[in-house]
Amino acid sequence: NPEAERLYGYKREDVLGKDYFELCLSEEAQEAVVVDIEKVLAGEPTRGFENVVITHDGQERILSWNVDRVLDSDNKPIGIVAVGQDITEHKQSNSALRKSLRTSDYIGRTIPSGLFIYRYEAPDSLFLVYGNPEAERLTGIKVAEWLGKEFNEIWPRAKERGITDAFLSPMKTGQVYQAED
C-alpha cells in the first residue's frame, strides 16, 4: 500500500513478486520472522511482534506486527495478512526517556541538598513520588514508607502553618515559592 511504499522506499511495482526476506530483513531477523510465521500458519495469531526492517536506502526501522493467517474454503492456511506499525521513533523516545530518568535519578541521589518531588492533583493535593537520601537525612523520614502519600499526611502540621498553601501556590499562580526555613 502507499504507506508501505513510503516506509520501505520501494515502489509497489518494483517489489511485487520479489522475496521480502531478502529485500527487507537481515539474516538474524529472518530466522525470528520464519518462526513467527510458522506459529501463525499453525493457528496462533501474532500481536505486537517486533523486528527490524531495512529500507531501500539502508535505514533500519522497528516495526510492530499483527499477523493472522488466511484460510481457503477448506480451512487450510494459504497465506498470511501482516499489518506492521513503524514504532522506531517511539522506541527511540523511550530509550532517551529512560536515559534521562537514570541521569535525573543519579543527580537526585548524589546532590548534597534535600529533594522531595510531589505529583500535583487539582485542586489541592500533592503526593510524594520521590525523595533523595539527603532529604531523608535532613527530615528523618524514610521515603519508601511515604511514597504515594499526600503531603498533609506526611507533614501533619503543614496545613495549619501555611506550608501546604505555600507549596501549592506555584501550581495555582505559576510563581516560584522560595523560603529560607
Side-chain angles (χ1 to χ4, degrees):
N1 68 12
E3 181 59 20
E5 287 182 318
R6 185 199 66 74
L7 174 70
Y8 287 99
Y10 290 102
K11 290 286 183 201
R12 181 178 195 260
E13 58 270 10
D14 295 336
V15 294
L16 285 179
K18 295 199 176 159
D19 187 329
Y20 171 76
F21 283 48
E22 288 179 17
L23 272 175
C24 301
L25 298 177
S26 67
E27 285 186 33
E28 302 83 45
Q30 288 180 23
E31 293 176 30
V33 172
V34 166
V35 169
D36 188 65
I37 290 173
E38 288 172 352
K39 288 181 189 176
V40 170
L41 290 172
E44 185 181 329
T46 292
R47 300 295 177 258
F49 175 82
E50 296 179 12
N51 73 291
V52 174
V53 298
I54 302 167
T55 65
H56 182 48
D57 63 2
Q59 287 185 8
E60 291 186 351
R61 307 294 296 176
I62 304 167
L63 272 63
S64 175
W65 295 95
N66 291 332
V67 186
D68 212 336
R69 64 186 179 166
V70 177
L71 304 174
D72 66 11
S73 59
D74 295 324
N75 282 335
K76 294 188 176 163
I78 57 171
I80 62 168
V81 173
V83 178
Q85 179 181 7
D86 186 356
I87 59 170
T88 307
E89 281 80 19
H90 176 74
K91 289 283 201 179
Q92 291 168 342
S93 294
N94 279 347
S95 176
L97 176 60
R98 281 191 302 278
K99 183 178 178 183
S100 176
L101 290 173
R102 282 192 304 270
T103 300
S104 297
D105 183 58
Y106 174 76
I107 291 168
R109 282 185 288 108
T110 60
I111 61 172
S113 302
L115 173 66
F116 286 116
I117 300 175
Y118 296 90
R119 181 184 75 249
Y120 172 69
E121 286 186 16
D124 293 321
S125 295
L126 296 168
F127 294 90
L128 184 63
V129 295
Y130 179 84
N132 71 353
E134 187 64 7
E136 286 186 335
R137 187 188 72 73
L138 290 169
T139 63
I141 73 165
K142 296 291 179 207
V143 171
E145 296 171 11
W146 293 98
L147 284 177
K149 303 288 186 190
E150 208 277 330
F151 186 82
N152 292 312
E153 182 180 352
I154 301 167
W155 313 106
R157 296 182 50 218
K159 184 98 172 141
E160 69 188 52
R161 296 176 65 203
I163 297 170
T164 302
D165 289 336
F167 279 29
L168 286 167
S169 70
M171 297 306 298
K172 295 178 178 186
T173 68
Q175 302 298 311
V176 173
Y177 167 72
Q178 292 181 329
E180 294 297 320
D181 50 345

